[in-house]
Amino acid sequence: MENASRNLESPSEPKNSFLLDDTKYRPSPQAFQCGEILEEAGEVGSVVFFSTTPNHRLEFSCRGRSVGVLNDQEPVVSNEELEEATAAVDPFFFDKGYTLAGRTGFQIWAGARLVLESLIWPLDQDPPRLVHWQRRLQETAPCRIIELGSGVGLLGASFAAQGGEVLATDLPTLVENAIYPNQQRNKNNAPSSPCPEWLAASSTVPIGSGWLGSTALDWTKPVQEQLSEIQRHNLDLIVASDCVWLVSMLDALLDTVASLFHFSPNATFLMSFQRRDVRKESALFTTVDGILSAVRCRGWALDCLSWKYVKVDGDEEKKEVFLLEIRRDESSS
Ligand SMILES: C[S@@+](CC[C@H](N)C(=O)[O-])C[C@H]1O[C@@H](n2cnc3c(N)ncnc32)[C@H](O)[C@@H]1O
């Protein structure tokens, strides 16, 4: 998927030099491990994705293969193996609010790996803002995190394993059939602390030294109708990986972030995004420039914390995936 060495000669069209800053390029940390294997009768589907934090190995039952996540040396499930093991009919097809976008949540995407590696596996070269968040996740005062569009819950569970207090959210179908079974799969039976009050009503389980709750949060509906007061206040971090690939998802997600900024004015939003537009501006797919202008239109500040190349099956070119830090400026309140 990615050369170990930096290659800026590679793919594509107009480079955004602001984002493609050499000093933010981030290869995979050597100690990080991940891969996928086939499992008959898994809780969610037939693929098990595994990944590591410095102290834990986590597993996620998925309905599909990961996309652009694994490199050639890492174990993968082939399309043929998966086809044999998986029912052809999507059992959630008729669920209310379950769309094509929801279907993508049953597998793991490239942006999730970049967020996980960048925040949990420090490298010497990391820029100060990234180091800030790596340290914040390690502090004794737990980091209060809400994840949007969690899918199978990889990021939420990984931050919890590191000591974070995390509320993983997604469409109801995903919460019930993907996040919840994976919370159960990874839970630790001997918690070292009581469940935090703000997560008490969210099917919360202990994972590693932290806690992971889950609840439905649809970006097309008002936040205050879906999250309780205690769930939406005092957040430190809002996280979303690979959630705005369709233009229709971008505004809805940013509206949700705007509401969360309103209730938690000190929160910061960390978002990963994989470039998908190749030769021309696409009306359907979100472009990198589309994100920059949507964020700036809202008066928010944006910085790139890390980026790397990924190669997705079927794509001719490697594409960049970015980890962006988005903050509400004092002036944009
Ligand atoms: C491409 S998947 C990314 C999943 C996961 N974050 C990852 O990186 O592996 C997009 C996610 O956004 C969620 N999603 C799409 N539309 C949504 C909406 N209106 N409200 C909440 N979540 C939504 C999907 O259910 C899915 O889990």
Side-chain angles (χ1 to χ4, degrees):
M1 172 188 72
E2 176 191 28
N3 287 339
S5 67
R6 167 94 158 62
N7 173 16
L8 261 189
E9 290 314 302
S10 96
S12 56
E13 56 333 322
K15 297 273 191 272
N16 191 316
S17 56
F18 158 68
L19 292 180
L20 291 174
D21 173 345
D22 282 10
T23 63
K24 312 278 176 66
Y25 177 79
R26 203 171 196 279
S28 279
Q30 294 213 325
F32 174 68
Q33 291 172 20
C34 64
E36 61 195 17
I37 48 178
L38 208 60
E39 177 181 71
E40 268 177 45
E43 300 92 333
V44 177
S46 308
V47 175
V48 176
F49 182 93
F50 65 88
S51 64
T52 57
T53 68
N55 299 315
H56 298 273
R57 182 186 193 274
L58 301 171
E59 291 187 351
F60 301 87
S61 177
C62 306
R63 280 179 57 79
R65 306 168 62 216
S66 60
V67 185
V69 177
L70 300 172
N71 66 36
D72 295 341
Q73 286 78 49
E74 292 163 341
V76 292
V77 170
S78 70
N79 273 333
E80 295 71 32
E81 286 173 308
L82 184 60
E83 257 165 45
E84 239 170 71
T86 308
V89 179
D90 183 344
F92 309 113
F93 189 80
F94 293 108
D95 280 15
K96 197 159 171 241
Y98 177 67
T99 53
L100 166 68
R103 194 172 170 162
T104 61
F106 283 104
Q107 58 204 139
I108 291 173
W109 294 75
R113 178 172 182 162
L114 180 67
V115 180
L116 197 170
E117 289 179 345
S118 299
L119 290 173
I120 293 185
W121 290 94
L123 295 178
D124 290 345
Q125 73 217 41
D126 286 332
R129 287 302 303 167
L130 183 52
V131 173
H132 166 82
W133 287 114
Q134 292 163 350
R135 291 193 178 145
R136 180 66 191 86
L137 283 170
Q138 293 299 312
E139 278 172 16
T140 336
C143 196
R144 233 182 231 213
I145 305 169
I146 187 164
E147 187 187 359
L148 309 179
S150 300
V152 297
L154 166 68
L155 285 183
S158 305
F159 295 144
Q162 288 296 94
E165 294 178 358
V166 192
L167 183 58
T169 71
D170 208 304
L171 297 168
T173 298
L174 274 294
V175 173
E176 188 182 338
N177 302 291
I179 301 174
Y180 184 75
N182 283 312
Q183 283 177 276
Q184 299 304 316
R185 186 165 184 139
N186 289 293
K187 80 177 173 197
N188 148 14
N189 289 320
S192 52
S193 57
C195 177
E197 198 190 339
W198 77 281
L199 289 177
S202 320
S203 310
T204 301
V205 298
I207 296 186
S209 51
W211 293 87
L212 178 65
S214 58
T215 196
L217 178 59
D218 181 339
W219 318 322
T220 62
K221 298 182 177 158
V223 167
Q224 60 275 25
E225 288 175 13
Q226 304 177 82
L227 296 185
S228 66
E229 204 163 320
I230 199 168
Q231 288 171 325
R232 56 186 197 246
H233 284 95
N234 299 316
L235 297 166
D236 297 303
L237 262 186
I238 305 161
V239 180
S241 73
D242 251 324
C243 279
V244 293
W245 49 282
L246 289 174
V247 168
S248 56
M249 298 162 92
L250 178 63
D251 277 339
L253 180 107
L254 293 184
D255 285 347
T256 300
V257 172
S259 294
L260 293 170
F261 278 165
H262 170 76
F263 296 118
S264 291
N266 296 324
T268 296
F269 177 37
L270 299 183
M271 175 178 98
S272 68
F273 175 71
Q274 186 214 307
R275 184 176 66 80
R276 289 190 172 76
D277 51 317
V278 185
R279 289 199 168 73
K280 56 180 178 152
E281 290 279 303
S282 158
L284 189 62
F285 293 107
T286 305
T287 62
V288 174
D289 283 347
I291 292 189
L292 298 187
S293 66
V295 167
R296 286 173 180 151
C297 267
R298 290 172 190 256
W300 299 341
L302 179 146
D303 213 345
C304 177
L305 301 186
S306 62
W307 67 275
K308 68 195 269 189
Y309 286 119
V310 295
K311 180 86 173 68
V312 176
D313 283 359
D315 279 1
E316 283 167 21
E317 294 180 334
K318 292 186 288 182
K319 306 258 172 62
E320 304 87 14
V321 57
F322 303 96
L323 171 57
L324 306 174
E325 181 190 56
I326 296 168
R327 293 177 310 277
R328 193 172 86 146
D329 265 356
E330 311 271 285
S331 53
S332 62
S333 45

